[in-house]
Amino acid sequence: MKMIDISVEIISPVIVYPPTHISGSALRGALAAKYIQNHHIADPSQDYDFQNLFLNEQVIYSDLVPGGLVLPLTAMSCKRRPGFKEEGRHGVYDALFANITSTVPINCPECGQDLKRLEGYHDFNRVQKLETSVSTHVGIDRITSTAAPEILYSDAEIDEGQMLHGKIYAPEAYIPRLIELLEGDFYVGRSKTRGKGKVRVVSATVADWDLDTMRLSWEMWNHKAKIMLGKMWRWDFLFSVTLHSDVIIVDEFLRASNDLSDDVRWLPKAAMQECKFGDGTIEFVGRFCQLDRISGWNSAHKLPKNDDFCIRRGSVFIYGFTGNEADKLQLQDKLIEMSFNGIGLRRSEGFGRIVINDSFHSDYAGGDFSCTE
């Protein structure tokens, strides 16, 4: 499995909902339409490459987001001047470890105001947010081709000139096809016949998974966690699962679930607290999550997609492993596989992307305030 890091520039206003990012589903649909147009395909179901690139769930298209990174639900900042020090604000604090030790700060050390949850996207220097505009339109009567009475609607548009970042995960054999497809402009979102939704990939870099670096970063993360947790540390390996996209998980009765163990069977259920792993145990330590409703539109069928409930992006689940070194390495292998493949349903549409031991939790555990206690 290879990874393509892409940066996309918005050339003309993009109409998607919500206008905070471009979903992996919209990106996949836009590239599928470009593929059909470029290759003059009359029946995509008979095209082998089209099937592999867009329908067989072998290629995963992530969301395109400003800054490229998601703020976890444990991120906190000043109520009056929220944001990173680098952007002239009062600093950011991650409360993951503080929640475990029940020592969450409530006041900004800069001004004494309350600390509140900080949401959105970031690049480790700034909170990133897309600039949007609202355009109002008159409905058109299909018979007379004139303005329809009492039909007035508005669209929220992502303004042109902004950059979004994302990833495409694919087997190595498909990489040349994808790189070729990413060249030039394509259209995403609604109202494309009006010139809306034109975007351009300004960079596409193929990257490998550096497994040794990944394991080393997890050990460094654990070293910082051990310092932050102090006497409460009781594990041989602590790991967090931070959702960098919405995740759809259902239980055995197909009901929406906010428990990762309903999809990742070797993780402990939240209600049971722990489970066996090899000769050791995995303990459920805590979670910080919210459920959202998601909907969409299937352009091929010209029908709305079924509504799903998802665990919201930025949610964090944390687990602790106690056991021998061999079992720890086996656990890390499973975590690497989970990082590659994602979790939950509809992964090829950008859902289910996760990060194990997100560096945000360790880098900002003490905040980027000028002073901490």
Side-chain angles (χ1 to χ4, degrees):
M1 181 74 76
K2 294 276 188 177
M3 177 174 59
I4 308 176
D5 285 306
I6 60 174
S7 296
V8 174
E9 180 183 5
I10 297 176
I11 307 301
S12 66
V14 172
I15 302 176
V16 290
Y17 181 82
T20 56
H21 65 283
I22 295 176
S23 69
S25 178
L27 174 63
R28 183 181 69 163
L31 291 176
K34 182 180 179 180
Y35 183 95
I36 292 172
Q37 182 180 17
N38 288 354
H39 295 82
H40 309 288
I41 298 174
D43 185 2
S45 65
Q46 302 302 313
D47 187 275
Y48 178 77
D49 285 336
F50 184 89
Q51 296 288 314
N52 287 331
L53 291 175
F54 302 108
L55 297 181
N56 293 342
E57 299 191 354
Q58 297 188 56
V59 180
I60 297 172
Y61 299 86
S62 80
D63 297 341
L64 299 175
V65 302
L69 299 167
V70 177
L71 283 165
L73 296 188
T74 51
M76 303 177 70
S77 191
C78 176
K79 177 180 180 179
R80 301 299 180 190
R81 296 280 292 173
F84 290 84
K85 281 283 189 177
E86 290 81 355
E87 54 185 329
R89 301 290 178 160
H90 282 184
V92 175
Y93 179 85
D94 185 86
L96 178 63
F97 301 135
N99 272 289
I100 297 174
T101 59
S102 301
T103 57
V104 180
I106 59 174
N107 298 115
C108 171
E110 289 284 326
C111 65
Q113 295 291 333
D114 292 345
L115 291 179
K116 298 294 184 182
R117 179 182 295 169
L118 185 66
E119 301 182 9
Y121 307 97
H122 73 102
D123 60 3
F124 281 112
N125 291 306
R126 292 177 175 274
V127 176
Q128 299 286 341
K129 182 179 180 181
L130 291 175
E131 297 294 330
T132 61
S133 302
V134 176
S135 60
T136 303
H137 307 277
V138 175
I140 301 299
D141 189 300
R142 300 296 183 185
I143 299 175
T144 64
S145 296
T146 59
E150 300 182 3
I151 297 181
L152 188 70
Y153 65 95
S154 298
D155 285 319
E157 304 176 343
I158 303 174
D159 295 338
E160 62 267 39
Q162 301 182 85
M163 298 292 298
L164 297 100
H165 309 274
K167 302 178 189 297
I168 299 176
Y169 305 86
E172 187 171 2
Y174 303 152
I175 295 298
R177 284 282 194 182
L178 288 167
I179 293 295
E180 178 186 354
L181 189 61
L182 291 170
E183 294 177 355
D185 303 332
F186 57 95
Y187 290 83
V188 64
R190 292 170 40 208
S191 299
K192 293 185 281 288
T193 55
R194 298 177 180 172
K196 306 287 187 181
K198 186 177 182 179
V199 301
R200 178 181 302 144
V201 176
V202 297
S203 71
T205 306
V206 180
D208 285 315
W209 295 84
D210 190 337
L211 304 186
D212 291 336
T213 300
M214 188 180 295
R215 290 180 188 273
L216 179 60
S217 69
W218 292 350
E219 294 299 334
M220 294 173 63
W221 194 93
N222 267 253
H223 177 70
K224 180 65 177 288
K226 191 171 184 178
I227 295 173
M228 298 301 298
L229 296 178
K231 294 180 180 180
M232 292 198 64
W233 178 269
R234 58 183 181 274
W235 308 280
D236 294 307
F237 181 68
L238 190 71
F239 64 96
S240 67
V241 182
T242 304
L243 310 188
H244 274 216
S245 69
D246 294 334
V247 172
I248 303 170
I249 290 179
V250 295
D251 64 14
E252 57 185 327
F253 302 108
L254 302 183
R255 299 172 301 188
S257 171
N258 65 350
D259 192 333
L260 300 190
S261 66
D262 284 319
D263 185 73
V264 185
R265 301 299 182 183
W266 49 267
L267 285 176
K269 288 191 172 296
M272 298 177 64
Q273 295 298 310
E274 66 178 37
C275 68
K276 294 289 291 181
F277 186 89
D279 293 328
T281 59
I282 300 177
E283 176 189 353
F284 173 79
V285 179
R287 62 184 167 190
F288 312 88
C289 66
Q290 294 179 349
L291 285 177
D292 270 349
R293 183 194 297 269
I294 55 174
S295 58
W297 180 262
N298 190 313
S299 297
H301 297 158
K302 301 188 184 303
L303 290 170
K305 295 180 180 179
N306 292 330
D307 285 357
D308 279 312
F309 285 94
C310 67
I311 309 174
R312 182 179 175 183
R313 72 183 68 235
S315 296
V316 185
F317 299 77
I318 189 161
Y319 303 87
F321 168 76
T322 304
N324 59 48
E325 188 67 18
D327 285 338
K328 187 177 86 167
L329 291 176
Q330 184 182 0
L331 170 62
Q332 290 181 348
D333 287 340
K334 284 188 171 293
L335 292 175
I336 289 171
E337 182 182 354
M338 197 163 74
S339 298
F340 289 169
N341 298 328
I343 58 176
L345 306 178
R346 296 170 61 178
R347 300 179 199 176
S348 62
E349 300 176 39
F351 295 99
R353 302 316 306 167
I354 64 168
V355 174
I356 303 298
N357 290 351
D358 190 337
S359 62
F360 186 91
H361 300 306
S362 57
D363 291 350
Y364 292 93
D368 70 333
F369 304 133
S370 58
C371 59
T372 57
E373 296 182 357

